[in-house]
Amino acid sequence: MKILVVNAGSSSLKYQLIDMQTEGVIAKGNVERIGIKGSVLKAKGNGHEKVFEQDMPDHKVAIELVLHALTDSEIGVIKSMEEIGAVGHRVVASGEYFKKPTLVDDEVLKTLEKTFELGPLHNPAAATGVKACIEVMPHTPMVLVFDTSFHQTMPPKAYMFGIKYEDYKEYSVRKYGAHGTSHKYVSQEAAKYLGKKPEQLKIVTCHLGNGSSITAVDGGKCVDTSMGFTPLDGVLMGTRSGCIDASAVEFLARKKGLNAADMVKYLNKECGVLGISGVSSDFRDLIAGAEGGNERCRLALDMFNYQTKKFVGSYAAAMGGLDCIVFTAGIGENTPQVREGVCEGLEFLGVKLDKDANAGKNTGAIRDISAKDSKVKILVVPTNEELAIARETLALV
């Protein structure tokens, strides 16, 4: 079966067509500027790349163009849309409405609208993408795969906030986490690499990128994660503040003359390592700055490494042990300075890094960067959220 994986943004749409017999990507592309002048699709397939420039006023037109690219005489990989067995849609927030990947019908679409408050930047766009696909491919099964699904196994002691219980029940304010598709995928791949079943392992997965989250995976299930009600919580990130005292938020809002919405935008877009360094949200720039003597760049890196390390240590305590640390995503896979900074000081847990292996080139494959006498395995596992979504879709349909 061939499965189309769709990740729709408010003005963008990324896709991959995956042959599930081989789990290989046979076509992929990225639509930019949907509803904006200068719409473009950059598509790859059949060993070639092609750019389609045309007006795309909405996601339906974008999906139509994607299907045209998939059947194009030059870069096409299928003869008709009937070859697509199902479509898997990435959705960020599930709330408490969806506990697992879900087959789309009219009732599911209505329920999905109830999650818009929890993922205002992403969920409406995802719903638009789903509806567009249904219009163009009405007889093809559609599956929603949620970033939060993997975290639904957290116990109440981990996902509850210290607010009035009645308010939790009324408004569903609790920890939901994010990057669940990635955390599930890399923890399972780590278990395969180690020759063990996920049920046998206690793993901390570190999905470190412009958005970063750390997850405790005990016996193959998430028992805690660093992101909270929204992806703003946890470690400081590219432009997000991470954990911050609510009273400090009120204090800053009053001093800066910002309302609640402006304050949320400030914490999401102007803070994190960008706000600390004053230079960039890109860790390559921070490392170059720190090596050049910029103390604020050094501070931003130290804060990120320190906060990540704290989550690793606390999750080892929560699980009552630690067998493996996994680094993944853009920073986790490509920044040895961060991996070293996170592992430094965790020797008391049996964590010992092989610095030479850690400094090695990213090969795109799983790498063991732990020292031979390390009691805890340290792995770099490339994430593949699209394949994970395709697997979930295949399992459901």
Side-chain angles (χ1 to χ4, degrees):
M1 180 184 289
K2 296 180 179 69
I3 290 179
L4 180 64
V5 176
V6 173
N7 182 356
S10 58
S11 61
S12 65
L13 189 149
K14 297 178 182 178
Y15 72 90
Q16 287 190 7
L17 185 64
I18 299 176
D19 186 339
M20 296 311 293
Q21 283 191 318
T22 63
E23 293 194 336
V25 178
I26 55 178
K28 63 180 180 179
N30 185 16
V31 182
E32 299 174 349
R33 302 179 65 83
I34 298 172
I36 305 171
K37 187 178 180 180
S39 306
V40 62
L41 163 61
K42 299 175 182 177
K44 293 181 179 179
N46 199 26
H48 300 282
E49 184 173 358
K50 193 171 183 178
V51 176
F52 299 84
E53 295 181 353
Q54 72 170 64
D55 288 338
M56 285 178 264
D58 54 39
H59 285 71
K60 179 177 180 290
V61 176
I63 288 293
E64 289 174 342
L65 186 58
V66 166
L67 293 176
H68 171 73
L70 291 173
T71 58
D72 182 76
S73 59
E74 184 180 353
I75 65 167
V77 293
I78 57 175
K79 293 182 179 179
S80 73
M81 68 182 73
E82 271 66 36
E83 292 185 45
I84 300 174
V87 182
H89 296 267
R90 176 182 179 248
V91 186
V92 169
S94 66
E96 294 192 316
Y97 301 103
F98 302 99
K99 303 292 184 183
K100 57 186 178 181
T102 303
L103 197 63
V104 173
D105 58 24
D106 290 342
E107 193 61 35
V108 166
L109 282 176
K110 289 180 182 178
T111 305
L112 181 61
E113 292 180 3
K114 298 178 182 179
T115 68
F116 287 3
E117 281 187 313
L118 302 175
L121 298 178
H122 300 94
N123 279 30
T128 299
V130 173
K131 292 174 183 177
C133 284
I134 291 173
E135 283 192 64
V136 179
M137 311 165 68
H139 305 298
T140 304
M142 304 284 157
V143 175
L144 306 181
V145 180
F146 299 90
D147 276 3
T148 50
S149 292
F150 185 55
H151 303 309
Q152 292 289 341
T153 54
M154 286 189 292
K157 65 181 180 182
Y159 69 68
M160 289 288 293
F161 295 135
I163 60 174
K164 288 179 65 176
Y165 190 81
E166 292 79 6
D167 289 334
Y168 153 66
K169 295 298 290 184
E170 176 71 18
Y171 305 114
S172 298
V173 176
R174 49 158 285 185
K175 178 186 288 189
Y176 290 108
H179 300 136
T181 305
S182 176
H183 288 293
K184 180 178 181 179
Y185 175 81
V186 298
S187 62
Q188 291 178 340
E189 292 298 303
K192 285 182 191 176
Y193 181 83
L194 297 174
K196 295 187 177 182
K197 296 179 179 179
E199 293 77 13
Q200 298 174 297
L201 296 169
K202 299 178 186 295
I203 303 174
V204 174
T205 51
C206 302
H207 179 106
L208 308 180
N210 192 51
S212 297
S213 62
I214 299 92
T215 293
V217 185
D218 193 354
K221 295 181 179 180
C222 169
V223 295
D224 208 344
T225 193
S226 61
M227 283 182 168
F229 181 64
T230 73
L232 180 58
D233 200 9
V235 297
L236 86 165
M237 306 170 218
T239 60
R240 297 176 190 148
S241 66
C243 299
I244 184 171
D245 185 339
S247 293
V249 175
E250 186 277 334
F251 178 85
L252 275 170
R254 188 157 32 88
K255 291 293 186 181
K256 293 173 71 67
L258 300 177
N259 61 29
D262 288 338
M263 197 62 200
V264 170
K265 183 178 179 181
Y266 163 79
L267 293 171
N268 271 289
K269 300 294 186 181
E270 299 179 36
C271 297
V273 296
L274 171 63
I276 295 296
S277 70
V279 171
S280 177
S281 61
D282 191 311
F283 275 61
R284 291 168 293 188
D285 295 334
L286 298 182
I287 290 168
E291 291 176 348
N294 187 315
E295 290 303 317
R296 285 176 58 180
C297 287
R298 170 52 56 194
L299 174 61
L301 289 169
D302 287 347
M303 288 174 66
F304 181 81
N305 295 345
Y306 175 70
Q307 291 182 17
T308 303
K309 187 203 317 281
K310 284 203 299 182
F311 274 107
V312 174
S314 66
Y315 288 163
M319 294 188 292
L322 181 62
D323 298 306
C324 180
I325 299 172
V326 172
F327 290 99
T328 193
I331 296 168
E333 294 172 33
N334 298 295
T335 315
Q337 297 91 335
V338 167
R339 296 192 296 262
E340 182 175 350
V342 171
C343 291
E344 185 179 7
L346 294 177
E347 291 80 8
F348 73 101
L349 288 175
V351 176
K352 192 171 181 182
L353 187 73
D354 183 326
K355 292 187 178 182
D356 290 335
N358 181 50
K361 185 179 179 181
N362 182 2
T363 62
I366 296 177
R367 292 191 292 137
D368 184 348
I369 58 172
S370 47
K372 290 183 179 179
D373 57 344
S374 179
K375 295 179 181 179
V376 175
K377 282 292 182 182
I378 311 167
L379 303 179
V380 178
V381 181
T383 192
N384 191 334
E385 293 174 275
E386 290 78 14
L387 177 57
I389 291 170
R391 286 176 177 174
E392 298 275 17
T393 301
L394 179 64
L396 190 57
V397 303

